[in-house]
Amino acid sequence: MTMPAVFLSGYRLMWILVMFDLPTDTRSQRKAAGDFRKFLLDEGFERSQFSVYARFVNGKEAFETRVGRIERALPSLGDVQILNFTDRQYQNIIHFSNQYRRKARKNPHQLVLF
């Protein structure tokens, strides 16, 4: 039996971008910041910059689920911002590195399910 083809729309597939500024003045604050970074990595996020992490999800429901998980793991101090945008919008990100424009990042061809 053949499985039906599933069309994954670039407007339904989404990216989550988590940006944060966490205090690191004390040992306990540094630990909390490190624990939050580790949490994001364990949740399947990739580090884009030191305090910017991104993850690919399948739709708004998956986005809301991830936001809830992040909210439960927030450190007691600091600022965390979460953005979401479609896969089509993600393809339009312009990235410079050492004053050179980098090629557009290729998006995953399949979803990783855990």
Side-chain angles (χ1 to χ4, degrees), residues 33-43 53:
D35 288 348
F36 187 66
R37 285 187 177 88
K38 184 179 180 321
F39 165 80
L40 292 173
L41 292 172
D42 289 346
E43 288 291 308
Y53 288 70

Side-chain angles (χ1 to χ4, degrees), residues 17-103:
L17 193 68
V18 178
M19 305 175 295
F20 51 91
D21 249 343
L22 302 177
T24 57
D25 297 327
T26 67
R27 180 178 290 196
S28 64
Q29 289 173 340
R30 285 189 296 276
K31 180 174 178 356
D35 288 348
F36 187 66
R37 285 187 177 88
K38 184 179 180 321
F39 165 80
L40 292 173
L41 292 172
D42 289 346
E43 288 291 308
F45 285 83
E46 292 181 0
R47 185 174 134 178
S48 295
Q49 293 184 7
F50 188 67
S51 294
V52 179
Y53 288 70
R55 186 182 197 287
F56 187 71
V57 294
N58 182 13
K60 190 73 170 167
E61 299 81 22
F63 168 76
E64 293 297 336
T65 298
R66 292 291 166 191
V67 169
R69 292 174 64 85
I70 292 167
E71 188 172 9
R72 289 188 294 277
L74 288 173
S76 58
L77 297 172
D79 293 317
V80 177
Q81 298 177 29
I82 302 173
L83 301 172
N84 72 312
F85 41 91
T86 67
D87 193 42
R88 294 274 186 214
Q89 292 168 321
Y90 184 81
Q91 291 174 1
N92 294 325
I93 291 176
I94 298 169
H95 180 176
F96 291 95
S97 182
N98 298 324
Q99 297 186 344
Y100 291 98
R101 187 182 285 231
R102 294 183 63 177
K103 288 183 180 180

